Amino acid sequence: HGRRGLAAEIGHMTITGEGDRCFCGAVGCFEAVASGTALGRRATALTAPGDGSLLRRLSADGDVSARHVVEAARAGDISALELIEAEAKWLGIGFTNLLHLYSPDLIVMGGGLANGFDLLASTIRATVEQRAMPAYRDVPIVPAQLGDRAGLIGAASLILWEGEPGAPLAMAQDEDNKDGATERAGARETSHG
Ligand SMILES: [Zn+2]
């Protein structure tokens, strides 16, 4: 059950005591708060059909998706930029927890958010640097298109939100490396005293 079990664990890791109830019944799950789907939901709630906002114009007055938010942010839309900023903070908080829990060598972010990675990166990085223990602050966080699978062999990596927006959170990790990563995490923990 390793891969699927760990993915579920990560998706439903609690990162806040507030926000929408997750389909699992809990509040504040990483997936429910920080996924591309969650970003789209926040953008949809923030706007209304026919309000003339760029977000609704891009979505043809339908539900706003993460891709629309990214597109609007690139065009300099203030609401979209604020949504991106908040999203990046949630991602930074979630990634910090993942770094502490699993000690990956690399975090790869996929899904609908990956194409907005350049917009998210600086706040993700700043949040991780602010919150993570020193040993984890420099772990690379990259968008899926740069995370060449061939290059990941032998690296314990967390791959988040593969596929299209709305896809369930997915996590892949070298099964062979899983125990190694856990042991390393334990070793690092020990070295922190
Ligand atoms: Zn949940």
Side-chain angles (χ1 to χ4, degrees):
H1 82 97
R3 189 163 292 197
R4 189 173 291 258
L6 195 49
E9 231 171 82
I10 288 174
H12 301 285
M13 168 178 76
T14 300
I15 63 168
T16 174
E18 299 166 9
D20 293 336
R21 191 165 293 278
C22 180
F23 65 82
C24 78
V27 165
C29 292
F30 189 34
E31 182 171 346
V33 171
S35 67
T37 308
L39 175 60
R41 210 165 41 229
R42 272 197 296 277
T44 300
L46 191 72
T47 54
D51 67 2
S53 64
L54 181 56
L55 289 167
R56 288 291 178 158
R57 277 183 279 144
L58 290 172
S59 70
D61 279 336
D63 284 353
V64 183
S65 73
R67 282 175 196 274
H68 298 136
V69 179
V70 167
E71 200 179 333
R74 286 200 199 290
D77 183 75
I78 299 294
S79 308
L81 287 166
E82 284 173 1
L83 285 163
I84 288 282
E85 179 72 8
E87 173 66 23
K89 278 184 188 153
W90 287 125
L91 288 169
I93 290 168
F95 290 167
T96 300
N97 290 344
L98 294 178
L99 290 168
H100 290 165
L101 278 169
Y102 300 106
S103 188
D105 297 322
L106 179 70
I107 290 179
V108 180
M109 205 179 85
L113 290 172
N115 67 346
F117 187 81
D118 55 312
L119 298 171
L120 297 159
S122 66
T123 299
I124 291 175
R125 205 70 247 173
T127 305
V128 168
E129 278 164 22
Q130 201 173 51
R131 293 177 159 261
M133 292 190 288
Y136 298 95
R137 283 176 195 163
D138 297 329
V139 173
I141 299 167
V142 300
Q145 59 267 35
L146 297 183
D148 179 2
R149 290 303 185 83
L152 296 180
I153 294 170
S157 57
L158 297 171
I159 301 176
L160 301 168
W161 295 305
E162 266 187 321
E164 291 305 298
L169 178 123
M171 205 224 60
Q173 187 174 26
D174 238 319
E175 291 294 319
D176 294 342
N177 262 301
K178 201 176 143 193
D179 292 340
T182 308
E183 277 163 30
R184 255 204 324 284
R188 283 202 200 182
E189 197 66 44
T190 308
S191 74
H192 280 293

